[in-house]
Amino acid sequence: MSAVGLAFIVSLGLLHIYAGRLRWIERIPKRLWLSFGAGVSIAYVFVDVLPILSAGQATLAETSGIIAEKLEHHVYLVALIGLMAFYSLELLAKRSRAGEREKAGEDCTSPGVFWVHVGSFALYNALLGYLLREAEHHGLLPCALLFFALMLHFLVNDHALRAHHKALYDRFGRWLLALAVIGGYLVGTGYMLNEASIAILWAFVAGGLIVNVIKDELPQHHETSLGAFLAGMSGYAALLVSVAH
């Protein structure tokens, strides 16, 4: 465990805990940082995550074992499962929120849906924490690039989850997500999966990342800054490409 990697993961945990209290964000128009975060996340998905899935497909094809044989040509199916899972969770949260508005006049989800929704994001965060630790094995720069993308991604996720769950999120959710991402990283310090398993994890996380980018990080037209979106997307894509070469 490197001091830099530990600082990264603790920073991500603290981001979840204090995201609702970051006064400097309130001074930046929401449409700017949402659009910039959308651009960075879209660039990360297309420039870094999709090539990871392609490499993972090749890794599975070269790996022996029952699971690898079953998934030999279907790593993208795992990504699709991740996408469907997180899209279903979003619909569940929206319907619960609408039902609570009609029933009790409260613009938040029911407690049961809160635990299902936030618990699923805790698993998502734990996987991302593990993959951040795995990226650290490839060098400081890949780890730093992933950290930057996750920092913006978590910031927007936090904003969306707080909108759905209100007080329950502030009381329990933010702490659970912070502990999950740190816990996933710590698991990665003592237990390393093989390349085929890493490919499967990345595929599932990629599906969740894509749907979360689409639903949370591409704002409605009246909340969009095209300039900030293009700056985030082109700047981060150029950075990823320059590092890769």
Side-chain angles (χ1 to χ4, degrees), residues 30-101:
K30 186 172 70 172
R31 65 188 185 90
L32 292 181
W33 63 265
L34 278 176
S35 297
F36 184 82
V40 170
S41 296
I42 289 290
Y44 187 75
V45 167
F46 282 91
V47 179
D48 209 56
V49 174
L50 293 184
I52 287 174
L53 294 190
S54 179
Q57 184 71 69
T59 298
L60 285 175
E62 298 171 357
T63 303
S64 60
I66 295 177
I67 295 178
E69 290 175 2
K70 295 295 183 183
L71 295 175
E72 182 178 354
H73 302 294
H74 301 296
V75 69
Y76 292 101
L77 180 60
V78 179
L80 181 61
I81 291 171
L83 186 149
M84 289 189 298
F86 281 93
Y87 180 69
S88 299
L89 287 167
E90 178 66 12
L91 287 181
L92 177 66
K94 285 185 175 180
R95 289 175 181 174
S96 174
R97 191 174 169 185
E100 290 297 307
R101 278 197 299 266

Side-chain angles (χ1 to χ4, degrees), residues 27-177:
R27 294 193 290 269
I28 303 174
K30 186 172 70 172
R31 65 188 185 90
L32 292 181
W33 63 265
L34 278 176
S35 297
F36 184 82
V40 170
S41 296
I42 289 290
Y44 187 75
V45 167
F46 282 91
V47 179
D48 209 56
V49 174
L50 293 184
I52 287 174
L53 294 190
S54 179
Q57 184 71 69
T59 298
L60 285 175
E62 298 171 357
T63 303
S64 60
I66 295 177
I67 295 178
E69 290 175 2
K70 295 295 183 183
L71 295 175
E72 182 178 354
H73 302 294
H74 301 296
V75 69
Y76 292 101
L77 180 60
V78 179
L80 181 61
I81 291 171
L83 186 149
M84 289 189 298
F86 281 93
Y87 180 69
S88 299
L89 287 167
E90 178 66 12
L91 287 181
L92 177 66
K94 285 185 175 180
R95 289 175 181 174
S96 174
R97 191 174 169 185
E100 290 297 307
R101 278 197 299 266
E102 292 182 5
K103 181 174 64 176
E106 296 183 1
D107 187 23
C108 61
T109 62
S110 66
V113 170
F114 162 77
W115 287 111
V116 171
H117 197 206
V118 173
S120 299
F121 268 87
L123 174 61
Y124 177 72
N125 272 22
L127 293 177
L128 286 170
Y130 183 92
L131 292 171
L132 180 66
R133 172 58 175 160
E134 195 273 336
E136 194 177 358
H137 296 308
H138 299 284
L140 178 59
L141 188 55
C143 185
L145 290 173
L146 179 56
F147 165 75
F148 181 72
L150 290 182
M151 180 180 65
L152 292 175
H153 183 59
F154 282 3
L155 187 62
V156 180
N157 274 354
D158 189 89
H159 177 270
L161 290 169
R162 181 172 284 103
H164 277 315
H165 307 297
K166 304 296 190 299
L168 277 177
Y169 183 78
D170 282 328
R171 186 176 180 185
F172 300 110
R174 61 193 177 112
W175 297 96
L176 180 59
L177 295 187

